[in-house]
Amino acid sequence: MKRIAVLTSGGDAPGMNACIRSVVLTALHFGYQVYGFRHGYNGLVDNEIELLTMQQVRHIIQKGGTLLKSARCSKFKTESGIKLAAKHLDAAEIDALIVIGGDGSLRGMMHLSKYWQGQLIGIPGTIDNDLSGSDNTIGFQTATETVIDAIDKLRDTADAFERIFMVEVMGRDAGFIALSSGIASGAEQIIYPEGLKDIHQELDCIIQHVESARKLHGRSSYIIVISENLWPGGAYDLSQVLTEQIGIECRPVILGHIQRGGCPNGFDRILATKLGVFAVEAIKNGHSLMMVGEISNELTLTAISDCVNNKKPVDKKLSDIQAKVFDSVEILSNCTKSTI
Amino acid sequence: MKRIAVLTSGGDAPGMNACIRSVVLTALHFGYQVYGFRHGYNGLVDNEIELLTMQQVRHIIQKGGTLLKSARCSKFKTESGIKLAAKHLDAAEIDALIVIGGDGSLRGMMHLSKYWQGQLIGIPGTIDNDLSGSDNTIGFQTATETVIDAIDKLRDTADAFERIFMVEVMGRDAGFIALSSGIASGAEQIIYPEGLKDIHQELDCIIQHVESARKLHGRSSYIIVISENLWPGGAYDLSQVLTEQIGIECRPVILGHIQRGGCPNGFDRILATKLGVFAVEAIKNGHSLMMVGEISNELTLTAISDCVNNKKPVDKKLSDIQAKVFDSVEILSNCTKSTI
Amino acid sequence: MKRIAVLTSGGDAPGMNACIRSVVLTALHFGYQVYGFRHGYNGLVDNEIELLTMQQVRHIIQKGGTLLKSARCSKFKTESGIKLAAKHLDAAEIDALIVIGGDGSLRGMMHLSKYWQGQLIGIPGTIDNDLSGSDNTIGFQTATETVIDAIDKLRDTADAFERIFMVEVMGRDAGFIALSSGIASGAEQIIYPEGLKDIHQELDCIIQHVESARKLHGRSSYIIVISENLWPGGAYDLSQVLTEQIGIECRPVILGHIQRGGCPNGFDRILATKLGVFAVEAIKNGHSLMMVGEISNELTLTAISDCVNNKKPVDKKLSDIQAKVFDSVEILSNCTKSTI
Amino acid sequence: MKRIAVLTSGGDAPGMNACIRSVVLTALHFGYQVYGFRHGYNGLVDNEIELLTMQQVRHIIQKGGTLLKSARCSKFKTESGIKLAAKHLDAAEIDALIVIGGDGSLRGMMHLSKYWQGQLIGIPGTIDNDLSGSDNTIGFQTATETVIDAIDKLRDTADAFERIFMVEVMGRDAGFIALSSGIASGAEQIIYPEGLKDIHQELDCIIQHVESARKLHGRSSYIIVISENLWPGGAYDLSQVLTEQIGIECRPVILGHIQRGGCPNGFDRILATKLGVFAVEAIKNGHSLMMVGEISNELTLTAISDCVNNKKPVDKKLSDIQAKVFDSVEILSNCTKSTI
């Protein structure tokens, strides 16, 4: 009988609990024992381990957060930390470890594999969706809905006051949340890393877009969605720059960690459930150092090294729709921005 | 310059407004004029036509319902009705007609094609998701989220009172909503057409499942999700049968038309936007009698006749997970139900 | 040091957990020990008792349901059952018992007082709002919001299809949920017990209202909110009667137990918190057989016998607004219905 | 036949549309003509007037924003601007003007009364709830629910990561939103103007509170709700100060204008409906320079001068519960902060 362990690591994402539940139920189905480590990789280093039972995962599919807690772990980046982790895994006679997390968590698995011989399977869990090897990562769709809900609320007050808002959303270095939430909320402008060469060079274009819209529609609400980490000081400072240049107040809204919380939506619960089942099946089938994913509706295994090394592009159909179709109608812009 | 028209037909679905917006903006982008017919095919027969402008579709992407209204249309099933429709389309010099709707709406296009020479492009819009030619139809994901939200609420009161509930959901003759919402809400049992041979023969199995769960978990909440149209009298009558046979009250909840309403979620807004753009591009490219769709992340064109004649299967991964993995753990059932 | 106990009884209501939390924290603040009985009065009879700690009530303020579970209890209606309950309370040396529940739960306290000498304090917890002694009962505002949210969704599809819906809502024998949710959702007609003498005699008036609206507005959505228990067979049967008499399909929607679940809204969390604090203070001050409540913004104590014997009227301002102001404009009805 | 006009002014608030609807329907009920001015007082100065009909206000009760738009108006602060406004009101033969807005809007009415002889009735519409003369202003309860919903989401991720968050909420110079949302979300600390003498002097106490909680509960989520305008640089800068002093990262979340948007909840729709009816009745009864309100469940008229000059206190029961009851249990703080 195999003994498997599971942990959640890095930025938490809605659906992690649904995934833990799926891993536990599937493991029990195969007759395995299943353990949880708490606080991400810290739990390995500090040996925070507990047996997981069917009772513990009842009715958690809809819960935000993660019952195993998550954390960053600096100790795991040292050789002594990793060796301690490997020692604890061996002491508990764990055959296989499942890690639910993002880019950094997957890299952690690669490091661990140098010091520990057990099977290692990754499950993509991050709201940023910035992992190759799965069309969607667990939490991305829920976070996007949270952003959309917030922008819908902003639209009401923006319309009432005919105001300009700049909404900063998460995504680390990727524009998935910005692009999807921007399209879905009918945002007038979307600024995201894949759509720009250099935001400082393209500032004129950003401003020109606002001014063209004002010319076309008169006073009217105008919402800009912008990814984090694109401008020094973020939306707070950039909105200030815009306010000065266009002479109309542009107000910033920074959604922050709200995007990580809340009940996972159905999409993420189902994705998390499928990937949890498939991860345990992958262990049963002897795989290691692979990440499970869903690509074009098929459950897939991709080498973890490929997942972290290849940059996943945003959906070109979406970026084209925004840049080429809607803009040309709505704004009639002949903006020189590189790709959008 | 082309003149295109659009209408929404059959049961309305969240995202229809987002799709109308997308069709209008894309048509304007290509320099086309775009008209709307109101009340589904009735608008063709009764010549309820209006010019659609950019202003009319501003800020409707998030709105439920359909600004063009929808309806069933019995007149359109007669030869005289269709001829009148064709006459009105010709009188307005419409080159191409886009119909957003479900199975019946697509069949209507096939009939119309016998009497009218213009291009006909279908867009799948129905909460039931029962159309081949697209992995998701517009509205399905939102309806599923609405059901999940309702079951989450029921779970609270079911847990507090340790009660058994039977939730009837829509889907016409397909189990997409039942299966997805059941999995995502952690329902203890899911009864849907593709998972059964004959519900009357399998009634013992349904009952045995409830009883096994009570043995395993003691008194506890237990939620059954069931598709409409499976039992005479629906969940009202079937829950009565169960109540009598297991000696514990099983209460019915029939969600009904709530499932058709509400703001479309982000998924449906994006899908509706993509399909609306692609439908107008299909017209530009000279296609006719095709339905646009998205299959495995690719935008596709499928002959309408194929869409209505081929039955789309539910996701086998989901049905297997529910029947084989989770049940065996949670219920230890050796139930003889045909497929689940 | 006092030892107090708490239980939740009868139909569960959103906010019960917030109230338990408040009772526990306040009791600990005063240095009391606090125990919970599970499954309502059954817990007294069956001696299901547990110590409650600060840790157990952390982060439950937002949770639906009740961690102490609830239930009806037939054994408590027998003399032997009550005597057993009293014996268990004495065995645990409980000085005071707090019961969170509705009408039946308060009556249970009156019965218990004949066999047990400890202090008894009631807290009004029921979605029906049908208790004198508090303007709002815990759960009423949340349930009303749930109904409003459902009707908002129905409005979308009703508008799209220009349909007539009849929505049945809870309330036992009182019209609070129907009247509030009907006004707040702009329902075209609201049928509730306090607004009628005899629904069978006033059926013509109900029908005439629908027909007047159709004359005034043409085809249009029309939503009727109706309280449960007003017509044999409920909204299912009454909508059938209407369909036949007006010749236009009137579709029923029965919301059922969804109304009991879900996260409590802020209003109910705050009310539950205040009443929980005040209930423990009432114990500290030596009160017994009183129900805490909030009337005109003041925290109040009312004899339990008065709470159950006096019928609380619906807000006359609301019933007048609906019947006299809006109807006269919208429908121009000279309906002869008794009070509305 | 009277001619009345209505406008919405100042910061928009959810429920303003419900209130406009109520004013229009009631006015029509009394046989009055009713006009709307757009963009707040700008509409008076610029004569942006339109007739309002029953059709225009159908199905807007649930919509956020305001169909009459809102705005600040600097021109209205000049004598020439006000005289122009009075001239336009007279030209349209308006007998009475209803203004829905906050503190500044009411002051505007007092200025206008010096130059215009018609009746002036105010309706309290602001999320800040900082107006004497009504227990609740339109929009306050909805905004509070929006904040609670955001903090519930934050709690998930705060728990998963055991993090400290500081959430800045609106309220101008009043703590209503902070106190209500803080209590309802179980926030560990609430910082609001009425609860402090001087935030700089009490900084040690704020920090000590966080540290006491860490001692009591170990690593754990900890959420601080803070009103805007209390610290230079707001929550961004204050959280930085805390981070440095306690040596644990405290992350800021600034909710911003999201708090103004969204569908009004049932409470605000009902309040807006009642106040709209009562405002028109007040006009019918010849009142002027009064604000309608609801105090202790009674509809009331208060002189506008009293509404703007008297500061409304926060609910002492709530501030006491937070400061005296819960804190003493949870944190065992003997903090020297003045009032909390």
Side-chain angles (χ1 to χ4, degrees), chain B residues 75-127:
Chain B
K75 285 178 283 187
F76 198 68
K77 292 181 178 155
T78 66
E79 192 176 358
S80 64
I82 296 197
K83 283 186 172 169
L84 207 50
K87 192 179 131 193
H88 291 143
L89 283 163
D90 285 337
E93 297 179 56
I94 302 300
D95 299 297
L97 174 67
I98 291 173
V99 174
I100 308 168
D103 183 76
S105 308
L106 295 182
R107 291 182 194 279
M109 299 178 82
M110 292 170 69
H111 298 155
L112 179 60
S113 71
K114 296 177 197 144
Y115 299 88
W116 185 63
Q117 308 308 321
Q119 291 169 268
L120 287 161
I121 297 291
I123 301 181
T126 162
I127 64 167

Side-chain angles (χ1 to χ4, degrees), chain A residues 45-62:
Chain A
V45 178
D46 302 337
N47 206 21
E48 282 191 273
I49 186 171
E50 62 180 314
L51 187 69
L52 295 176
T53 66
M54 189 171 60
Q55 289 304 324
Q56 277 171 288
V57 298
R58 290 199 84 199
H59 309 330
I60 66 164
I61 196 170
Q62 79 275 31

Side-chain angles (χ1 to χ4, degrees), chain C residues 70-286:
Chain C
S70 189
R72 313 280 175 200
C73 181
S74 53
K75 285 179 282 185
F76 200 68
K77 291 181 178 153
T78 65
E79 193 177 356
S80 64
I82 296 198
K83 283 185 174 170
L84 207 50
K87 192 181 131 191
H88 291 143
L89 283 163
D90 285 337
E93 298 181 55
I94 301 300
D95 298 298
L97 174 67
I98 291 172
V99 174
I100 309 168
D103 183 76
S105 308
L106 294 182
R107 291 181 195 278
M109 300 178 82
M110 291 170 69
H111 297 154
L112 180 59
S113 71
K114 295 176 197 144
Y115 299 88
W116 184 62
Q117 307 309 318
Q119 290 169 267
L120 287 162
I121 297 292
I123 301 181
T126 163
I127 63 167
D128 300 328
N129 201 29
D130 58 347
L131 279 176
S132 282
S134 191
D135 292 340
N136 289 278
T137 57
I138 297 167
F140 164 61
Q141 291 281 352
T142 302
T144 301
E145 299 291 349
T146 298
V147 173
I148 292 167
D149 186 56
I151 302 179
D152 284 355
K153 286 189 164 62
L154 275 182
R155 179 67 72 187
D156 288 335
T157 185
D159 268 350
F161 247 82
E162 298 168 338
R163 265 190 175 135
I164 303 172
F165 283 102
M166 180 179 289
V167 185
E168 182 180 297
V169 302
M170 284 187 165
R172 252 183 8 135
D173 303 317
F176 293 95
I177 296 177
L179 185 58
S180 285
S181 65
I183 295 255
S185 58
E188 275 76 11
Q189 189 170 176
I190 308 172
I191 306 173
Y192 57 101
E194 296 88 342
L196 293 164
K197 272 197 189 136
D198 180 324
I199 193 170
H200 291 87
Q201 285 178 20
E202 295 166 36
L203 187 58
D204 282 351
C205 181
I206 290 168
I207 289 165
Q208 181 191 334
H209 199 281
V210 184
E211 291 175 335
S212 301
R214 286 262 152 165
K215 269 184 211 140
L216 184 63
H217 294 299
R219 278 202 60 168
S220 173
S221 67
Y222 185 97
I223 291 176
I224 304 168
V225 175
I226 183 168
S227 296
E228 62 182 350
N229 300 327
L230 281 183
W231 186 270
Y236 262 84
D237 285 3
L238 181 56
S239 62
Q240 188 61 28
V241 172
L242 253 68
T243 298
E244 281 160 21
Q245 298 227 6
I246 58 180
I248 307 164
E249 194 174 24
C250 171
R251 287 170 182 252
V253 173
I254 287 94
L255 292 177
H257 276 70
I258 295 165
Q259 297 166 77
R260 292 205 188 283
C263 293
N265 72 355
F267 187 100
D268 276 326
R269 297 186 202 181
I270 290 173
L271 177 65
T273 298
K274 283 184 192 173
L275 295 185
V277 170
F278 197 58
V280 180
E281 288 177 345
I283 288 170
K284 184 160 179 279
N285 294 329

Side-chain angles (χ1 to χ4, degrees), chain A residues 79-244:
Chain A
E79 192 177 358
S80 64
I82 297 198
K83 283 187 173 169
L84 207 49
K87 191 180 132 193
H88 291 144
L89 284 163
D90 286 336
E93 297 179 57
I94 301 299
D95 299 297
L97 174 67
I98 292 173
V99 173
I100 309 168
D103 183 76
S105 309
L106 295 182
R107 291 182 194 278
M109 299 177 82
M110 292 171 69
H111 297 154
L112 179 60
S113 71
K114 295 178 196 143
Y115 300 87
W116 185 62
Q117 308 309 321
Q119 291 168 267
L120 287 161
I121 297 292
I123 302 181
T126 163
I127 64 166
D128 300 328
N129 202 27
D130 58 346
L131 279 177
S132 282
S134 190
D135 292 340
N136 289 279
T137 57
I138 297 168
F140 163 60
Q141 291 281 352
T142 302
T144 302
E145 299 289 351
T146 297
V147 173
I148 292 167
D149 185 56
I151 302 179
D152 284 354
K153 285 189 166 61
L154 275 181
R155 179 68 73 186
D156 286 336
T157 185
D159 268 349
F161 247 82
E162 297 168 340
R163 266 193 174 130
I164 303 172
F165 284 103
M166 179 178 289
V167 185
E168 182 180 298
V169 302
M170 285 186 164
R172 251 180 11 133
D173 303 316
F176 293 96
I177 295 177
L179 186 57
S180 286
S181 66
I183 295 253
S185 58
E188 275 76 9
Q189 187 169 178
I190 308 171
I191 306 172
Y192 57 101
E194 297 88 342
L196 293 163
K197 272 197 188 136
D198 180 322
I199 192 170
H200 292 87
Q201 286 178 21
E202 295 166 36
L203 187 58
D204 283 351
C205 181
I206 289 168
I207 290 165
Q208 181 192 335
H209 200 281
V210 184
E211 291 175 336
S212 301
R214 286 262 154 166
K215 268 183 211 139
L216 184 63
H217 295 298
R219 278 202 61 168
S220 173
S221 66
Y222 184 97
I223 291 175
I224 304 168
V225 175
I226 183 168
S227 296
E228 62 182 351
N229 300 328
L230 280 183
W231 186 270
Y236 262 84
D237 285 4
L238 181 56
S239 62
Q240 188 62 27
V241 172
L242 253 68
T243 298
E244 281 159 20

